[in-house]
């Protein structure tokens, strides 16, 4: 296998740092060619000194000088600002983009990579939630593989290898249920940020951890799955599986079900996406069937966790509704993390925003950007941000 040059967009986040661990463990297979961060300049500098990338980008322009000075003695080129992310994504200096930027901000660079004909290892689910039709259409046009890094979508992707001519009956996305599994609204009303950030099985960034606690994460994943695997809304099902050993399942037309299993460790799907189609040997801990020897499954409680119901509605209705859902959710989570809004109030903000922003059935990319901006603005007024 030739050495693959990886561009990590979002290198200081949870996915980015773990991707760099995978790269460090396989130096003959991968180099980190591009590293980008929004504001974590200290870690970005540290990463750049260790991995000696061709290019680094710091999103926050006020931190540009600090990063530039710190890397002055190296060959690394330093750029700053949101525009630079797109410009670097358009350069022909890497072989595969790992899209790890959180939220809507990941959309433009990812589209740019696809436009360049670069394969994308996609860890940013919001990109497909917001504009899945446009991104996947472009990927087909440019014959670019989009390899999912989300553990659930990676599981489905792995189950589908070698099945390309066999129609899918349905996919079953497993959900841990998050830290509040089994809790009722009278409990959730008082939940605070630090409580919601304690996830039982996965260690993740703050945004996705809150999304997991509200089950919005699973809603976003349903929408992502529809686009990734070209499914109809009713072919996507969610099942709560508290142990997070089965990462998702695919049922085929003959009724046969394939599942992908393993211990909850994001390095596995990251490594799989970077090395695809090869599997790399590693020393990660292995799942032992003798413990936990019981795997449970139950229906999600969408009466309590209404975000999943709102996301399902957006999935079925389509158009710009998933984009609006996502934008309102990003604002709500941002506010919750700053103790500006209660746990259950997040759902109200999202619901009211979905009712407020005008529905567009077949949006252009421009209209997606406009819907996103309008939804953010309205959600922010509800919270008085």
């Amino acid at each position: 296998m030739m050495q693959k040059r990886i561009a990590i967009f979002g290198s200081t986040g949870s996915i980015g740092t773990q991707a760099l661990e995978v790269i460090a463990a396989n130096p003959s297979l991968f180099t980190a060619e591009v590293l980008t961060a929004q504001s974590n300049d200290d870690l970005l500098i540290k990463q750049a000194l260790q991995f000696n990338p061709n290019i680094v980008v710091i999103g926050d322009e006020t931190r540009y000088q600090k990063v530039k000075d710190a890397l002055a003695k190296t060959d690394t080129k330093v750029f700053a600002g949101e525009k630079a992310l797109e410009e670097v994504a358009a350069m022909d200096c890497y072989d595969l983009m790992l899209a790890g930027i959180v939220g809507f901000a990941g959309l433009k660079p990812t589209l740019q990579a696809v436009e360049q004909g670069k394969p994308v290892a996609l860890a940013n689910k919001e990109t497909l939630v917001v504009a899945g039709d446009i991104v996947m259409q472009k990927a087909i046009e440019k014959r670019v593989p989009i390899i999912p890094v989300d553990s659930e979508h990676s599981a489905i992707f792995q189950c589908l290898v070698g099945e390309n001519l066999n129609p899918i009956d349905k996919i079953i996305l497993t959900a841990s249920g998050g830290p509040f599994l089994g809790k009722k609204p009278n409990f959730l009303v008082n939940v605070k940020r630090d409580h919601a950030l304690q996830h039982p099985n996965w260690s993740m960034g703050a945004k996705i951890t809150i999304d997991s606690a509200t089950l919005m994460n699973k809603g976003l994943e349903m929408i992502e799955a529809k686009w990734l695997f070209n499914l109809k809304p009713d072919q996507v099902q969610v099942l709560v599986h508290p142990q997070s050993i089965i990462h998702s399942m695919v049922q085929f037309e003959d009724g046969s079900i394939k599942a992908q299993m393993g211990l909850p460790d994001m390095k596995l799907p990251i490594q799989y996406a970077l090395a695809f189609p090869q599997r790399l040997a590693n020393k990660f801990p292995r799942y032992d069937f003798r413990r936990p020897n019981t795997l449970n499954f139950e229906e999600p409680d969408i009466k309590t966790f209404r975000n999943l119901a709102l996301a399902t509605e957006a999935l079925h209705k389509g158009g710009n509704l998933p984009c609006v859902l996502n934008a309102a959710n990003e604002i709500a989570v941002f506010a919750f993390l700053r103790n500006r809004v209660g746990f259950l109030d997040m759902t109200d903000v999202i619901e009211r925003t979905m009712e407020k922003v005008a529905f567009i059935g077949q949006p252009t990319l421009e209209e997606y950007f406009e819907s996103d901006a309008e939804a953010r603005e309205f959600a922010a007024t509800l919270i008085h941000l």
Side-chain angles (χ1 to χ4, degrees), residues 10 17 202 235 355:
T17 49
W202 297 92
Q235 289 179 292
E355 285 162 7

Side-chain angles (χ1 to χ4, degrees), residues 34-308:
V34 175
L35 300 177
T36 88
Q38 179 52 32
S39 51
N40 192 342
D41 47 12
D42 291 332
L43 184 52
L44 184 63
I45 290 163
K46 197 173 151 222
Q47 291 175 340
L49 292 171
Q50 182 184 347
F51 289 92
N52 193 25
N54 178 4
I55 293 173
V56 304
V57 182
I58 181 83
D60 177 351
E61 296 179 31
T62 62
R63 297 164 194 260
Y64 170 70
Q65 204 53 51
K66 177 176 165 186
V67 177
K68 190 156 174 50
D69 294 346
L71 301 179
K73 291 189 169 58
T74 70
D75 297 331
T76 302
K77 301 190 257 316
V78 181
F79 300 102
E82 193 190 335
K83 239 11 244 139
L85 287 174
E86 277 186 83
E87 286 160 6
V88 170
M91 291 178 187
D92 190 19
C93 63
Y94 64 95
D95 303 311
L96 174 127
M97 173 189 281
L98 177 71
I101 294 175
V102 176
F104 179 81
L107 173 60
K108 285 183 182 171
T110 305
L111 258 176
Q112 200 50 261
V114 173
E115 196 61 72
Q116 293 308 309
K118 300 292 186 191
V120 174
L122 187 69
N124 165 305
K125 60 184 62 113
E126 291 92 347
T127 289
L128 290 186
V129 171
V130 170
D133 52 345
I134 291 176
V135 178
M136 293 313 286
Q137 195 47 53
K138 183 66 68 192
I140 290 162
E141 215 176 280
K142 299 277 180 186
R143 299 212 165 104
V144 172
I146 300 220
I147 306 159
V149 172
D150 246 355
S151 66
E152 295 80 356
H153 302 88
S154 176
I156 294 159
F157 187 93
Q158 292 181 53
C159 290
L160 292 177
V161 169
E163 297 278 4
N164 44 348
L165 297 174
N166 292 322
I168 297 171
D169 192 26
K170 67 173 178 190
I171 62 163
I172 301 152
L173 291 174
T174 52
S176 68
F180 308 130
L181 179 61
K183 299 292 190 227
K184 289 292 176 243
N186 57 2
F187 171 89
L188 295 174
V189 120
N190 301 314
V191 160
K192 288 283 175 279
R193 136 184 220 275
D194 295 341
H195 195 176
L197 285 172
Q198 305 296 318
H199 195 280
N201 303 345
W202 297 92
S203 100
M204 309 174 285
K207 157 85 166 53
I208 188 172
T209 306
I210 301 304
D211 283 348
S212 294
T214 66
L215 288 196
M216 178 55 90
N217 185 47
K218 215 43 59 175
L220 298 177
E221 285 175 6
M222 290 174 80
I223 299 166
E224 183 185 2
K226 168 194 177 319
W227 293 118
L228 270 174
F229 307 113
N230 192 16
L231 302 168
K232 296 187 185 67
D234 48 15
Q235 289 179 292
V236 185
Q237 190 187 335
V238 170
L239 196 57
V240 171
H241 164 49
Q243 296 82 13
S244 298
I245 298 297
I246 290 183
H247 299 306
S248 276
M249 301 177 258
V250 179
Q251 181 173 310
F252 295 95
E253 288 193 320
D254 59 359
S256 176
I257 297 174
K258 273 187 174 179
Q260 188 265 336
M261 306 173 70
L263 290 175
D265 179 358
M266 277 312 294
K267 286 222 284 285
L268 251 176
I270 291 168
Q271 176 181 290
Y272 182 84
L274 294 186
F276 182 79
Q278 282 179 293
R279 286 184 183 272
L280 303 182
N282 61 43
K283 297 278 196 291
F284 302 164
R286 305 300 200 228
Y287 173 58
D288 177 355
F289 270 93
R290 288 162 297 206
R291 48 173 204 276
N293 60 5
T294 311
L295 303 178
N296 308 75
F297 306 93
E298 57 186 87
E299 283 292 317
D301 174 4
I302 56 176
K303 281 202 172 57
T304 303
F305 297 93
R306 283 176 38 238
N307 276 358
L308 190 55

Side-chain angles (χ1 to χ4, degrees), residues 102 126 193 196-197 205-217 220 307 325-343 345-347 349-350 376 379 383 385:
V102 176
E126 291 92 347
R193 136 184 220 275
L197 285 172
K207 157 85 166 53
I208 188 172
T209 306
I210 301 304
D211 283 348
S212 294
T214 66
L215 288 196
M216 178 55 90
N217 185 47
L220 298 177
N307 276 358
L325 166 98
N326 176 70
N329 180 60
E330 284 191 34
I331 294 292
V333 170
F334 175 88
F336 176 73
L337 285 169
R338 281 155 191 76
N339 300 315
R340 301 290 294 273
V341 63
F343 188 80
D345 302 330
M346 286 190 280
T347 306
V349 168
I350 296 160
R376 278 169 202 274
I383 303 163
L385 276 180

